[in-house]
Amino acid sequence: MMKYFLVVVFFVFTSSIFAQYGNRDGNRIGISGGISQSNLFTSNFDAKPGIGFAGGFSVRGNYYNDFSMIFGMQFFYNTFSLESTSVSLAKKDTEFSVSGAQVRLLLSYNIVKDHVSLDFGPVLQVNGEMSVQEADETNIINGTLLQAKQIQDITKINGNLYFGVSAGNRLVRAVVFYQYGVNNILNNLNKESSLKTLNGGDFKGNLGTVSAQVLFNL
């Protein structure tokens, strides 16, 4: 599924580049990358934020008056930790990672044209299962009877809301944004009644990410 998703996104993004390239009036093609901090907001587990990274491409085009539209794709790698207990009964923070791709369609309000803007809009996220180091797979998640490896199969298609600000000039911008997952990213785990029993109830969690990036416009 991820392969077909990326093919479609690449086609749409490439088409957008050629469509925008001939119109230089405020339109920009950008490459960005930077670090991120993510956390899982849930009452099921005791979670702690972790550091990851993200990077990708975007096309910004004039829309109406002081508004622009941004279409972009990013690849991401997010981490967070859950408090757990190892087989030796030692307390340990077990790190999980989530990676995948995102497609965003944003409305941008230009506070100062070509220099400062506020950006907001929806993001479609396609990710794989959560990953955990092999040595930590049998750690018991605190407050449950679950092993770390039993909660890896999370929801693969998710929706996020994006709020950000960018500042700089036509060539280089600093971008800071926050994304919050509007759907239950743990909902896929609710399909297994045995897991719900070990958890002591339904699974519910939302992923939140703050990111700082540098954008280079071509």
Side-chain angles (χ1 to χ4, degrees):
M1 180 178 63
M2 177 72 77
K3 179 176 68 175
Y4 295 113
F5 172 77
L6 294 178
V7 169
V8 172
V9 169
F10 179 78
F11 174 77
V12 173
F13 182 77
T14 303
S15 299
S16 298
I17 289 178
F18 283 109
Q20 295 287 352
Y21 188 76
N23 186 355
R24 303 297 186 87
D25 184 18
N27 296 335
R28 295 289 181 269
I29 300 168
I31 300 174
S32 61
I35 61 173
S36 59
Q37 184 183 68
S38 302
N39 200 8
L40 181 67
F41 296 97
T42 176
S43 59
N44 297 127
F45 318 121
D46 294 317
K48 298 179 181 178
I51 300 299
F53 56 86
F57 310 90
S58 63
V59 177
R60 172 188 288 268
N62 291 334
Y63 179 62
Y64 179 76
N65 288 342
D66 293 327
F67 288 92
S68 300
M69 294 291 292
I70 301 173
F71 173 78
M73 179 181 72
Q74 290 224 327
F75 298 95
F76 68 91
Y77 176 84
N78 294 335
T79 69
F80 58 86
S81 299
L82 301 181
E83 293 184 4
S84 63
T85 303
S86 68
V87 292
S88 63
L89 301 183
K91 294 187 179 297
K92 181 176 183 180
D93 291 335
T94 299
E95 183 178 89
F96 292 83
S97 62
V98 182
S99 59
Q102 297 177 338
V103 175
R104 59 182 61 159
L105 182 62
L106 308 177
L107 185 63
S108 177
Y109 176 69
N110 300 300
I111 299 175
V112 180
K113 186 177 181 181
D114 293 326
H115 293 287
V116 182
S117 67
L118 294 177
D119 312 320
F120 49 93
V123 177
L124 174 65
Q125 174 176 308
V126 176
N127 53 260
E129 294 185 353
M130 292 197 298
S131 297
V132 62
Q133 292 186 4
E134 185 176 354
D136 294 329
E137 287 182 347
T138 56
N139 291 350
I140 301 298
I141 306 301
N142 288 358
T144 76
L145 297 176
L146 292 160
Q147 294 182 339
K149 64 183 179 182
Q150 292 180 292
I151 61 171
Q152 293 180 260
D153 190 17
I154 57 174
T155 303
K156 306 303 190 301
I157 300 178
N158 299 281
N160 303 329
L161 289 179
Y162 177 112
F163 303 93
V165 59
S166 65
N169 54 45
R170 289 192 173 191
L171 297 180
V172 182
R173 284 196 179 195
V175 182
V176 178
F177 63 86
Y178 180 76
Q179 287 188 167
Y180 182 77
V182 296
N183 65 291
N184 179 8
I185 196 170
L186 301 179
N187 192 51
N188 204 45
L189 300 173
N190 289 321
K191 297 178 181 179
E192 297 291 338
S193 58
S194 59
L195 295 182
K196 293 169 63 175
T197 300
L198 294 174
N199 186 49
D202 289 345
F203 293 88
K204 178 69 169 68
N206 303 82
L207 192 64
T209 303
V210 60
S211 183
Q213 301 186 7
V214 177
L215 171 68
F216 298 94
N217 287 315
L218 304 180

